[in-house]
């Protein structure tokens, strides 16, 4: 059992989906969890649920596109909670559209959250975690990419580009942190399709794009591409995150880890 007692973990987009599961997972291992999200009502409900189990969990409003919000979130973690050891850049959005239907503004909005938001998260994690920073005890950054950033799926051009960018940002963050002795590792996860709001939306969108006769047909086609023969469970992603952010993974850095049942390796 990996123990996170005494650690402070900041999770963006933590009100639901992967983010909420990360919050439950890290809190269950003893971490003090801070959920940052723009959905105050749902975020506070998730915090209340986790806190009822006896875990330490807090909510703050955080728009990952805002440099000011990021600075305030990190200040809250350090001054009110006691430090900052792990930052999980989980917040993200997805759009499903063919190239011929792509609109510039939709792409810019997606890149602002998925890419700029992740860059700002890395920036503020470095500032706080490096020697002499507000927390100053090193730590781990975990970015949420996607198997879409490793392979090609029609209808996901902007999303795939953003997640490929997150993989690149992760590798650069690992290299830069080492160059300047920040004491910070950076890795990312590349999940395939999971039973989240975003995953369900994707399944429902594909038939309308001409990428399957029905939602069930899309499901069957995707499962056929996964060597283990099933979709992932949320616990599969949480367990990978718990490992990568722990001391047990102290020599794993700059990695884009597929959590996809072998989908990306099968082509």
């Amino acid at each position: 059992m990996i123990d996170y007692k005494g650690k402070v973990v900041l999770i963006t987009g933590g009100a639901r989906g992967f983010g909420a599961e990360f919050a439950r997972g890290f809190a269950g291992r003893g971490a003090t969890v801070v959920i940052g999200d723009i959905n105050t009502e749902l975020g506070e409900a998730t915090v209340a649920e986790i806190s009822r189990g006896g875990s330490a969990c807090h909510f703050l409003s955080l728009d990952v596109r805002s440099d000011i919000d990021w600075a305030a979130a990190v200040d809250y973690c350090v001054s009110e909670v006691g430090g900052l050891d792990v930052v999980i850049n989980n917040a993200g959005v997805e759009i499903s559209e063919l190239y011929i239907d792509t609109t510039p503004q939709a792409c810019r909005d997606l890149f602002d959250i998925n890419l700029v938001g992740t860059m700002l998260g890395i920036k503020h994690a470095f500032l706080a975690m490096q020697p002499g920073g507000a927390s100053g005890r090193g730590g781990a950054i975990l970015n949420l990419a996607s198997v879409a950033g490793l392979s090609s799926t029609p209808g996901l051009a902007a999303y795939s580009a953003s997640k490929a960018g997150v993989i690149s940002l992760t590798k650069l963050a690992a290299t830069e942190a080492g160059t300047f002795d920040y004491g910070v590792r950076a890795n990312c996860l590349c999940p395939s399709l999971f039973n989240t709001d975003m995953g369900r939306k994707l399944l429902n969108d594909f038939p309308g794009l001409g990428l399957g006769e029905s939602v069930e047909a899309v499901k069957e086609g995707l499962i056929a591409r996964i060597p283990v023969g099933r979709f992932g469970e949320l616990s599969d992603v949480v367990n990978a995150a718990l490992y990568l952010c722990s001391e047990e993974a102290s020599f794993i850095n700059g990695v884009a880890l597929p959590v996809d049942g072998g989908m990306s390796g099968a082509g």
Side-chain angles (χ1 to χ4, degrees):
M1 290 285 289
I2 297 172
D3 188 356
Y4 278 91
K5 290 178 182 175
K7 302 291 187 182
V8 178
V9 180
L10 172 60
I11 303 169
T12 69
R16 61 183 177 179
F18 284 149
E21 287 300 312
F22 289 140
R24 295 182 186 104
F26 280 87
R29 299 299 181 91
T32 298
V33 172
V34 178
I35 288 175
D37 207 297
I38 58 172
N39 191 327
T40 300
E41 183 177 357
L42 189 54
E44 290 181 342
T46 300
V47 165
E49 173 218 318
I50 293 171
S51 298
R52 278 195 296 270
S55 299
C57 192
H58 309 263
F59 174 80
L60 56 82
S61 179
L62 170 58
D63 183 338
V64 297
R65 298 167 295 183
S66 168
D67 206 35
I68 293 172
D69 275 17
W70 266 109
V74 169
D75 179 68
Y76 175 86
C77 290
V78 174
S79 62
E80 301 297 327
V81 185
L84 186 61
D85 301 284
V86 176
V87 171
I88 301 181
N89 288 304
N90 166 75
V93 295
E94 177 266 328
I95 52 175
S96 307
E97 59 187 9
L98 302 178
Y99 269 113
I100 58 175
D101 299 318
T102 297
T103 60
Q105 193 56 53
C107 292
R108 292 188 185 103
D109 291 343
L110 181 144
F111 294 147
D112 245 9
I113 296 171
N114 293 7
L115 277 176
V116 176
T118 298
M119 291 185 74
L120 291 176
I122 294 168
K123 167 189 171 179
H124 286 279
F126 280 174
L127 288 170
M129 294 174 172
Q130 67 179 313
S135 184
R137 56 197 188 207
I141 296 170
L142 184 67
N143 301 322
L144 261 290
S146 169
V147 68
L150 298 170
S151 58
S152 300
T153 300
L156 294 178
Y159 180 73
S160 296
S162 74
K163 292 305 184 179
V166 169
I167 293 169
S168 181
L169 289 177
T170 301
K171 295 178 182 295
L172 190 79
T175 302
E176 194 163 304
T179 299
F180 293 99
D181 296 322
Y182 290 161
V184 178
R185 293 182 300 111
N187 293 294
C188 69
L189 295 178
C190 299
S192 54
L193 188 71
F194 281 73
N195 186 25
T196 61
D197 289 345
M198 188 181 293
R200 290 187 291 272
K201 177 183 179 301
L202 189 70
L203 285 174
N204 289 321
D205 286 348
F206 269 25
L209 297 176
L211 297 172
E213 294 182 1
S214 66
V215 172
E216 286 304 315
V218 173
K219 285 182 180 179
E220 291 174 8
L222 287 171
I223 290 174
R225 294 171 57 190
I226 302 173
V228 301
R230 66 171 176 88
F231 288 134
E233 302 290 340
L234 291 177
S235 59
D236 294 323
V237 177
V238 173
N239 289 335
L242 288 166
Y243 173 64
L244 283 180
C245 295
S246 74
E247 291 303 314
E248 281 81 351
S250 62
F251 202 57
I252 299 177
N253 196 20
V255 164
L257 177 66
V259 186
D260 65 354
M263 183 179 182
S264 57

